[in-house]
Amino acid sequence: MPTPELPPPQSSLPEAASRFGAYVLAAAARACDVKDATGGPPSTPSLPAAPAISAPAPPPPDTPAVDVPPPGTGLERILRGPSGLGTAGLRLSLREEPPPPSAPPAHTTEGTPVPGLYHHPVPEPDPVRVEEVSRRIKSWALDEVSLYPEDWEEQFDGFSVGRYMVGCHPDAPTIDHLMVATRLMVAENAVDDCYCEDHGGSPIGLGERLLLAHTALDPLHTTEEYQPQWAESLHADAPRRAYRSAMEYFVRAASPSQADRLRHDMARLHMGYLAEAAWAQLDHVPEVWEYLAMRQFNNFRPCPTITDTVGGYELPADLHAQPGMQRVIALAGNATTIVNDLYSYTKELAAPGRHLNLPVVIAEREGLSDRDAYLKSVEVHNDLMHDFEAEAAALTAACPSPNVQRFLRGVAAWVDGNHNWHQSNTYRYSLPDFW
């Protein structure tokens, strides 16, 4: 018997946000000069029918025209812009400035944030959704793709991917939409673990493994004679099985443009894996700027870049491709990845071999102590976060299209949810004793 769809979480908006939503709807056409192929005003392509995705219920009559997740998720800051010296000009004057949070939300999670790390506390993810996503993803992993052997079950459960994805996508209209992101997250981690890291991964031969796995996302178009052999190869190992299945679900929910966007970002990810593998083979510690360049590719970017698909709408390709939008997405990916470097620092130090992360690279290249290198890495993260928020606020002001506005809120939600998951996942992470 099919599992009934759980209702979407209720959201509410302060009056100022409602006024701002009405403003952007009226101003979008004249403020964002992007035209469609016919030369007319910008339009949002309609999504193709997606059998695997349940259509969300129509909003109640009093729902604002621009759907916004609940306050307190850290999303509203994108609309008001950054705070601090020299940033007032980036804020939108029609938006009332709410006071900064003085304390974490009422329902906080376990785990301690990195001291001094700039972040936004978020409410506890909806436990009903978390439980259902966790149930479904484990069923998919075991029954559909045979992702892991029995002795990996504790690690799979400890990853808490259901909590992760519910926290990162608060505006997902249904559980099915959340599952689109959750399958991809699990598949990406299977590739990282089994090809690159601690479950049999190795830098030797990584390029071949990644190339063949990538064809599960970006299909091979070859002759009739060789097509069956390629199709059979997609079931050869757990990472390829997971990629193939997760992408099949994704393309049912996404437009062709959104699917191509994800393929592009996954190719970026794989290129970053290869750079890190090359350094491992050479036992080379890169310069700090080189490491940060690698991390711009080997990072979380494929996750927030699908926020519109998971939200059940589309940021049109011409708006997504704007240089300002690309900079915002890159900064978000870079900041969230340094969060991973900081929270996984002690875990990686305890693992065999030398694992590159930002504190390790700064200590080696700049001659700092482990503590000072870690604290400097916190500063690097904070600078990236401030730049992300400033650029997002400026982009919202320059192009107040409802889809741009909502996409930026979705990326901000992913940034906040990603930090919250790292902070609270004490099964995987613990902080160094530097304070």
Side-chain angles (χ1 to χ4, degrees):
M1 180 175 180
T3 302
E5 179 56 62
L6 299 177
Q10 298 299 310
S11 64
S12 61
L13 281 173
E15 182 182 352
S18 298
R19 291 201 304 272
F20 184 79
Y23 163 73
V24 296
L25 284 172
R30 66 176 181 272
C32 188
D33 187 21
V34 178
K35 300 181 181 295
D36 64 16
T38 65
S43 60
T44 303
S46 59
L47 291 176
I53 299 298
S54 309
D62 59 347
T63 299
V66 180
D67 183 25
V68 180
T73 59
L75 305 185
E76 293 175 348
R77 72 183 189 282
I78 285 298
L79 296 184
R80 71 177 185 263
S83 59
L85 186 64
T87 62
L90 293 174
R91 300 192 203 107
L92 299 178
S93 58
L94 295 183
R95 176 103 183 136
E96 293 180 3
E97 184 79 11
S102 56
H107 301 292
T108 54
T109 59
E110 62 177 328
T112 302
V114 172
L117 193 75
Y118 178 67
H119 69 283
H120 300 273
V122 300
E124 185 70 13
D126 181 348
V128 178
R129 286 192 156 203
V130 169
E131 182 179 0
E132 179 63 10
V133 171
S134 300
R135 183 191 68 79
R136 291 195 196 184
I137 193 61
K138 193 165 185 178
S139 175
W140 173 79
L142 293 175
D143 301 335
E144 292 191 43
V145 298
S146 300
L147 186 67
Y148 60 86
E150 185 176 341
D151 57 344
W152 291 9
E153 183 174 8
E154 180 186 347
Q155 295 176 58
F156 184 87
D157 293 341
F159 192 79
S160 302
V161 69
R163 189 177 187 283
Y164 195 177
M165 293 296 95
V166 173
C168 285
H169 296 285
D171 71 338
T174 70
I175 297 293
D176 286 328
H177 286 80
L178 283 167
M179 286 302 300
V180 167
T182 309
R183 292 186 199 93
L184 286 168
M185 169 61 79
V186 170
E188 290 161 25
N189 275 274
V191 170
D192 190 25
D193 285 346
C194 297
Y195 285 0
C196 309
E197 296 288 350
D198 50 358
H199 285 302
S202 168
I204 300 172
L206 179 60
E208 177 189 17
R209 295 192 297 277
L210 287 177
L211 174 66
L212 296 179
H214 194 81
T215 67
L217 309 172
D218 200 350
L220 177 65
H221 300 278
T222 188
T223 64
E224 185 176 349
E225 178 182 359
Y226 298 110
Q227 192 79 14
Q229 294 169 266
W230 164 72
E232 184 179 356
S233 77
L234 299 183
H235 301 269
D237 59 19
R240 278 184 275 187
R241 290 193 298 271
Y243 262 4
R244 177 198 57 79
S245 177
M247 193 66 181
E248 284 181 356
Y249 280 100
F250 181 78
V251 297
R252 295 177 198 166
S255 72
S257 174
Q258 289 171 315
D260 195 58
R261 181 202 306 169
L262 176 63
R263 293 184 186 106
H264 188 187
D265 281 346
M266 292 301 294
R268 284 180 163 123
L269 175 67
H270 295 158
M271 186 163 63
Y273 286 168
L274 291 174
E276 189 172 27
W279 292 333
Q281 283 187 280
L282 298 171
D283 194 25
H284 173 68
V285 177
E287 298 289 346
V288 176
W289 73 265
E290 292 175 322
Y291 176 81
L292 292 171
M294 180 274 292
R295 273 313 226 172
Q296 180 161 310
F297 294 87
N298 177 6
N299 76 6
F300 287 113
R301 180 183 175 123
C303 303
T305 202
I306 65 170
T307 187
D308 53 341
T309 305
V310 181
Y313 66 100
E314 180 174 9
L315 178 69
D318 49 5
L319 291 178
H320 179 266
Q322 293 296 309
M325 182 63 74
Q326 290 295 301
R327 176 164 168 75
V328 167
I329 295 170
L331 286 167
N334 293 348
T336 56
T337 303
I338 302 307
V339 164
N340 180 262
D341 278 13
L342 293 168
Y343 279 96
S344 64
Y345 177 74
T346 58
K347 176 174 176 280
E348 292 182 345
L349 285 184
R354 177 164 59 181
H355 288 253
L356 292 183
N357 54 53
L358 186 57
V360 166
V361 173
I362 289 178
E364 175 80 14
R365 283 298 185 177
E366 299 188 0
L368 299 180
S369 67
D370 291 346
R371 178 183 182 275
D372 288 346
Y374 191 93
L375 297 181
K376 184 169 184 180
S377 299
V378 172
E379 294 177 5
V380 171
H381 165 271
N382 292 351
D383 288 345
L384 290 169
M385 276 290 292
H386 292 311
D387 288 346
F388 160 66
E389 293 189 348
E391 295 288 343
L395 182 58
T396 303
C399 183
S401 158
N403 282 342
V404 169
Q405 179 193 17
R406 186 175 181 188
F407 186 83
L408 291 174
R409 288 197 302 269
V411 173
W414 207 96
V415 170
D416 291 341
N418 175 74
H419 172 267
N420 180 261
W421 175 80
H422 279 85
Q423 172 194 325
S424 61
N425 195 328
T426 54
Y427 173 85
R428 290 174 61 88
Y429 306 121
S430 60
L431 299 184
D433 186 18
F434 288 153
W435 300 275

